[in-house]
Amino acid sequence: MGDFVSVSLLTGYIKNILGAEELLHDIKLVGEVSGLRCSGPHAYFTLKDENAQIACNCFSYAKTYLPKNGESVCLFGGVDFYPPGGKLSFNCKKIEPLGKGLLALQLEQLKKKLAEAGYFDERHKKPIPKYPKNVCVLTAKTGAVIRDIVSTIRKKNNILDIDVVDVKVQGQFAENTIITALDMVDKLGYDVIIIARGGGSMEDLMPFNSERLVYKIFDCKTPIISAVGHETDFTLCDFVADRRVPTPTAGGELVGYDVAELKNTLAAYCDLYKKQLNNRLQNAELQLISAVKTVINKLSVNIATSEGRLKNLSASLGNIFKVKCLEGEHCVNKIMARIDANNPIRILGQGYSKLYGEDGFATDIDKVNIGENITILTQGGKIGAEVKNKTAINK
């Protein structure tokens, strides 16, 4: 046999095992209450069914529901072992009547199922328009909810179109009327839909925990706001909607943007854009003036350069023209001198004469005959004569 084990060691070991086992914590335990007694703020009783029983403790029972002997309840808590008394017990943090407890359990199971299927994932959420033009509210037309929503919106916004579709918000027909109305308004092109009702018991809010309603909201193309119950109330409608608000009034505040503030914001943006535009125009004007000055400076330099080139070219052409004129004048003088030298009148002035016979200008003695009448052209006039004789000169 091995070493002896003390009672303290054994009970401590048992307590550690029970404390480390996660399945023994956060349990929903169902059974019938027996032997209920209260000691100060704490309640002690046995919870049993037809085959077994377990001791239960509820510390600070004033914070939860206190059952009666023989009542079926649902306990929320975990298993505990108390070594000094060697007693295994169930410590419950919350007690609910069995009907309500089962309802909560079923709802929790449905929520887990839908969450695991991705119906509550943020990636599926559609953004709520910041400045919607029209909104449709699904709620009871005669209730205080719609008055709260409309009055909240109209405090700051008188341009948003608000349509109301009357639906039942509790009772056996509420689920179908909400789903039917939602299917209809989703096709009408609203910017946003608000599903709203005031607070109530879990049973009152059950239409908004409908699995069919979750599917319908998930399939809607229009962004949906869930404004169901009070701030502490949560329904499956809240989890699947694109936005959950704690109260119907908060839903009105979300969509009812402040028109005056928007106008001021737009005016501020207009002033800002105007200033920016003026700055850009001034900068553009300065850039244009600078560019024009640069162009003018470049043109001035080019004009001065061209003017210098033109002056040089003009001077060169003037010099060339002068040289050509002198050359031309020299040629003309040479020609004139040659013409003058060959002028017949000038030759006649030197004592020479020209002889014309009957056949015309006689350039040779053989061109005239003795006895022929001739004309002699000399300086100052003509002389008529008759050829008496002619003598040849040896060449």
Side-chain angles (χ1 to χ4, degrees):
M1 295 181 64
D3 295 337
F4 293 104
V5 177
S6 67
V7 174
S8 297
L9 182 62
L10 176 62
T11 56
Y13 183 70
I14 293 172
K15 183 174 180 63
N16 290 337
I17 291 177
L18 295 176
E21 180 54 63
E22 294 183 1
L23 293 177
L24 297 179
H25 303 284
D26 296 325
I27 297 173
K28 300 177 182 66
L29 185 64
V30 177
E32 181 182 312
V33 176
S34 175
L36 176 70
R37 65 183 180 85
C38 295
S39 176
H42 312 309
Y44 305 92
F45 56 91
T46 299
L47 193 71
K48 62 181 181 179
D49 58 20
E50 62 273 15
N51 297 316
Q53 65 180 25
I54 188 171
C56 298
N57 310 311
C58 181
F59 302 112
S60 301
Y61 66 82
K63 296 180 180 180
T64 185
Y65 175 77
L66 183 63
K68 302 177 181 63
N69 286 322
E71 184 177 1
S72 295
V73 294
C74 181
L75 308 182
F76 298 82
V79 175
D80 186 39
F81 182 75
Y82 184 61
K87 186 177 180 182
L88 181 73
S89 62
F90 187 87
N91 288 345
C92 57
K93 301 176 182 178
K94 182 179 179 183
I95 304 173
E96 290 182 353
L98 181 58
K100 188 174 181 180
L102 287 177
L103 189 62
L105 179 60
Q106 293 169 353
L107 185 59
E108 190 65 28
Q109 291 172 344
L110 177 58
K111 177 183 174 183
K112 181 179 180 182
K113 167 190 168 183
L114 293 170
E116 290 175 350
Y119 285 96
F120 305 153
D121 290 355
E122 285 297 323
R123 60 193 176 93
H124 297 308
K125 308 291 185 185
K126 296 178 285 295
I128 304 300
K130 190 172 183 179
Y131 303 110
K133 298 186 292 295
N134 51 51
V135 58
C136 182
V137 182
L138 270 60
T139 191
K141 260 188 176 180
T142 57
V145 168
I146 189 58
R147 291 195 298 272
D148 290 344
I149 292 176
V150 173
S151 62
T152 300
I153 293 174
R154 290 300 181 231
K155 285 178 182 178
K156 297 181 179 179
N157 189 311
N158 59 356
I159 63 174
L160 178 63
D161 291 333
I162 307 171
D163 291 337
V164 182
V165 175
D166 187 24
V167 296
K168 291 184 178 297
V169 292
Q170 72 180 64
Q172 61 177 342
F173 300 112
E175 176 184 340
N176 287 335
T177 58
I178 295 171
I179 292 173
T180 301
L182 190 57
D183 183 64
M184 175 189 70
V185 299
D186 184 45
K187 302 171 184 177
L188 299 180
Y190 287 100
D191 290 331
V192 63
I193 298 171
I194 300 177
I195 301 175
R197 73 147 285 161
S201 66
M202 177 181 290
E203 290 78 6
D204 292 339
L205 297 178
M206 281 310 292
F208 300 93
N209 288 314
S210 160
E211 184 173 1
R212 290 174 55 226
L213 180 60
V214 169
Y215 296 149
K216 174 50 64 178
I217 293 174
F218 185 83
D219 291 336
C220 281
K221 297 178 181 178
T222 310
I224 293 179
I225 297 172
S226 176
V228 177
H230 297 308
E231 189 168 356
T232 56
D233 296 322
F234 282 89
T235 64
L236 298 183
C237 177
D238 294 329
F239 294 108
V240 72
D242 299 298
R243 180 76 68 86
R244 184 255 178 184
V245 291
T247 62
T249 301
E253 292 173 348
L254 179 61
V255 299
Y257 56 91
D258 191 329
V259 173
E261 181 181 340
L262 177 60
K263 288 180 179 179
N264 292 334
T265 301
L266 291 176
Y269 276 122
C270 288
D271 290 340
L272 177 62
Y273 291 149
K274 185 178 180 180
K275 290 178 182 178
Q276 291 178 345
L277 181 59
N278 287 333
N279 290 336
R280 289 183 180 180
L281 288 175
Q282 290 175 359
N283 291 335
E285 183 179 4
L286 292 175
Q287 292 175 359
L288 179 60
I289 292 173
S290 176
V292 170
K293 287 182 178 179
T294 301
V295 171
I296 290 174
N297 291 335
K298 288 183 179 180
L299 287 175
S300 298
V301 172
N302 292 338
I303 289 172
T305 302
S306 300
E307 187 177 26
R309 291 177 181 175
L310 184 60
K311 287 181 179 179
N312 293 334
L313 181 60
S314 178
S316 298
L317 290 175
N319 292 332
I320 293 172
F321 182 72
K322 288 179 180 179
V323 171
K324 294 298 181 181
C325 285
L326 291 174
E327 290 179 352
E329 183 179 359
H330 180 67
C331 289
V332 169
N333 289 336
K334 285 176 66 177
I335 293 170
M336 292 300 295
R338 188 176 299 170
I339 291 173
D340 186 62
N342 294 311
N343 188 349
I345 297 175
R346 181 181 178 83
I347 295 173
L348 293 175
Q350 294 176 354
Y352 293 98
S353 299
K354 295 186 75 173
L355 179 66
Y356 294 89
E358 294 177 354
D359 295 329
F361 179 52
T363 58
D364 193 273
I365 193 172
D366 294 332
K367 298 292 184 181
V368 296
N369 299 312
I370 295 173
E372 183 179 352
N373 292 324
I374 61 174
T375 301
I376 300 170
L377 178 63
T378 184
Q379 188 175 19
K382 295 180 181 178
I383 301 171
E386 181 183 345
V387 179
K388 296 297 185 178
N389 56 64
K390 60 180 182 177
T391 303
I393 298 175
N394 295 326
K395 299 179 180 177

